[in-house]
Amino acid sequence: MGDRRESAALFDDWLWTMMQRERHYLFICSQNRLRSPTAEQIFTDHPGIETRSAGTNHDAETPLDDEMLRWADTIFVMEKTHRNKIQKRFRSALNGTRIVCLDIPDDYEFMDPQLIALLQARMARFLPL
């Protein structure tokens, strides 16, 4: 009986720790120059999350790598093509990490007010309260 209570207490401690730590959100576009850095910047001060951004292209401002993918709890891509590239090139690093496609086309400049509004709307359900 004692083992069961001890296991339950350990699980409760683990669950509490997981709930208290910030979620790691990785935003990805092609070049990491417009959309994903905008997302990183506007959500960087949101409570309960830590943000980073990268690009799928080799010449991206910050090229995506295995370490970034392992860091992320959730990956947010701007287009389905980004998800496909990641799944092909980084399959082993994903390790079951959820990839969410925000369906945001490459039609915006960095910090464009319309892009910010779209990101806020598409991300609303994923942000901790």
Side-chain angles (χ1 to χ4, degrees):
M1 193 70 135
D3 289 341
R4 185 176 280 170
R5 274 185 264 163
E6 188 174 308
S7 293
L10 288 173
F11 177 75
D12 287 347
D13 288 346
W14 173 83
L15 185 60
W16 175 254
T17 301
M18 292 306 290
M19 290 172 60
Q20 295 306 307
R21 86 164 174 84
E22 290 186 329
R23 304 288 298 159
H24 295 165
Y25 284 2
L26 178 60
F27 295 97
I28 297 174
C29 64
S30 299
Q31 292 292 340
N32 189 230
R33 292 194 178 107
L34 305 172
R35 295 172 290 173
S36 59
T38 297
E40 178 182 17
Q41 186 166 327
I42 65 172
F43 297 116
T44 196
D45 292 327
H46 193 284
I49 63 172
E50 185 176 336
T51 62
R52 292 185 185 171
S53 66
T56 57
N57 293 354
H58 295 290
D59 62 343
E61 198 71 29
T62 302
L64 182 61
D65 63 27
D66 287 3
E67 185 179 327
M68 290 178 191
L69 292 170
R70 283 193 281 276
W71 170 86
D73 293 311
T74 307
I75 300 163
F76 295 93
V77 298
M78 300 299 151
E79 302 172 27
K80 290 176 185 165
T81 57
H82 302 133
R83 178 177 24 212
N84 295 341
K85 280 185 180 182
I86 293 167
Q87 288 173 332
K88 286 180 184 172
R89 286 185 21 215
F90 297 98
R91 182 170 298 278
S92 62
L94 286 172
N95 199 28
T97 303
R98 182 177 182 195
I99 301 176
V100 176
C101 182
L102 298 175
D103 288 316
I104 298 177
D106 194 9
D107 297 337
Y108 304 95
E109 293 299 318
F110 178 69
M111 297 302 287
D112 181 314
Q114 288 180 322
L115 174 58
I116 292 171
L118 190 54
L119 283 163
Q120 289 172 330
R122 301 268 165 93
M123 286 295 298
R125 68 183 232 210
F126 300 103
L127 298 173
L129 300 175

